[in-house]
């Protein structure tokens, strides 16, 4: 089991205190990608605007009881999709099961997400270094699932000036961070051109959180 995928990468890697990378944990991904289709049919991807007025290069939507949004008024969670006025689509069972299982495996038993941010990166899209800090309870971890095209994930410390590691994330990889790493700065470098058999010219990221 040391080399589950024959690519020399261990299935589990500790990234920092409280932060774990579970390689291939989301495979097979067909049911997850089907659920992404269901969610985005009801709540399509859109490019949100930061409080500073910049349109994000990553397209986003949400499912679950709470959805993360940004606009000129700020960052926050809301129960409804501002584009439609309707509640966000329910969290698919396959999402819930993966998030809870991966969290438990990483050392966070009892994690029950109420929010899933769905991020779509096209080639060139990027996410600059930030902390996830709009949630109520920082004792709850973050579970982040990578699907489709590979990406370079940046993972630093709790201060912006801390050194940042670069980690190659592939289709099916899951990163869980909590505890001493809960407020770690993280980001994604500009996605490289490419086509993935299951997602086309895109990377899909599912970020699960306990928001409320
Ligand atoms: C995020 O920080 O919301 C997304 C991280 C990722 O796409 O891997
Ligand atoms: Fe984040």
């Amino acid at each position: 089991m040391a080399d589950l995928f024959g690519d020399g990468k261990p299935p589990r890697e500790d990234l920092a205190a409280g932060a774990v990378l579970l390689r291939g944990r989301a495979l097979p991904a067909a049911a997850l990608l089907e659920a992404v289709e269901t969610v985005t049919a009801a709540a399509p991807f859109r490019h949100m605007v930061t409080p500073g007025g910049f349109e994000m290069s990553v397209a986003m939507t949400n499912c679950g009881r709470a959805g993360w949004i940004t606009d000129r008024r700020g960052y926050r969670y809301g129960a409804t999709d501002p584009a439609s006025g309707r509640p966000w689509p329910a969290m698919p069972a396959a999402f819930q099961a993966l998030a809870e299982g991966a969290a438990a495996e990483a050392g966070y038993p009892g994690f029950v997400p109420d929010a899933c941010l769905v991020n779509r990166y096209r080639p060139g899209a990027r996410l600059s270094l930030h902390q996830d800090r709009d949630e109520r309870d920082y004792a709850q971890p973050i579970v982040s699932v990578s699907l489709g095209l590979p990406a370079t994930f940046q993972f630093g410390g709790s201060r912006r000036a801390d050194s940042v590691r670069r980690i190659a994330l592939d289709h099916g990889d899951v990163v869980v961070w909590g505890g001493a790493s809960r407020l770690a700065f993280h980001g994604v470098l500009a996605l490289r051109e490419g086509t993935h058999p299951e997602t086309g010219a895109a990377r899909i990221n599912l970020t699960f959180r306990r928001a409320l």
Side-chain angles (χ1 to χ4, degrees):
M1 291 293 277
D3 187 10
L4 196 55
F5 304 102
D7 59 2
K9 290 172 178 165
R12 181 196 176 99
E13 189 185 334
D14 290 318
L15 299 177
V20 181
L21 165 56
L22 303 170
R23 293 241 180 237
R25 182 63 177 75
L27 300 178
L32 297 173
L33 288 167
E34 220 168 276
V36 169
E37 293 293 327
T38 306
V39 166
T40 57
F45 284 117
R46 79 289 311 262
H47 293 273
M48 298 189 206
V49 173
T50 65
F54 295 99
E55 185 179 277
M56 299 186 76
S57 60
V58 180
M60 299 177 171
T61 187
N62 292 276
C63 60
R65 214 149 50 85
W68 185 84
I69 52 179
T70 173
D71 59 18
R72 292 305 298 240
R73 286 162 49 213
Y75 306 134
R76 63 195 176 277
Y77 283 93
T80 54
D81 177 352
S84 68
R86 292 194 304 264
W88 295 105
M91 179 108 56
F95 282 21
Q96 195 96 28
L98 172 63
E100 296 185 13
E105 222 169 285
Y108 302 98
F111 173 64
V112 179
D114 58 9
C116 175
L117 174 65
V118 185
N119 292 310
R120 186 190 65 198
Y121 298 74
R122 296 285 194 197
R126 59 187 290 275
L127 195 59
S128 51
L129 274 184
H130 66 278
Q131 296 167 296
D132 288 6
R133 51 186 307 165
D134 302 320
E135 300 73 32
R136 184 174 294 167
D137 179 8
Y138 296 153
Q140 303 287 334
I142 309 282
V143 176
S144 178
V145 177
S146 292
L147 300 170
L149 286 178
T152 303
F153 186 57
Q154 298 175 291
F155 196 79
S158 305
R159 289 163 307 187
R160 190 174 280 281
D162 290 340
S163 66
V164 173
R165 259 185 87 167
R166 289 183 175 193
I167 299 140
L169 293 182
D170 277 315
H171 181 58
D173 290 350
V174 179
V175 183
V176 181
W177 65 95
S181 287
R182 177 58 181 76
L183 291 176
F185 277 87
H186 58 282
V188 177
L189 298 186
L191 201 77
R192 288 179 298 271
E193 291 288 341
T195 312
H196 188 276
E198 294 190 57
T199 61
R203 170 179 184 261
I204 304 290
N205 166 266
L206 310 175
T207 294
F208 295 94
R209 307 188 184 103
R210 182 77 188 192
L212 308 179

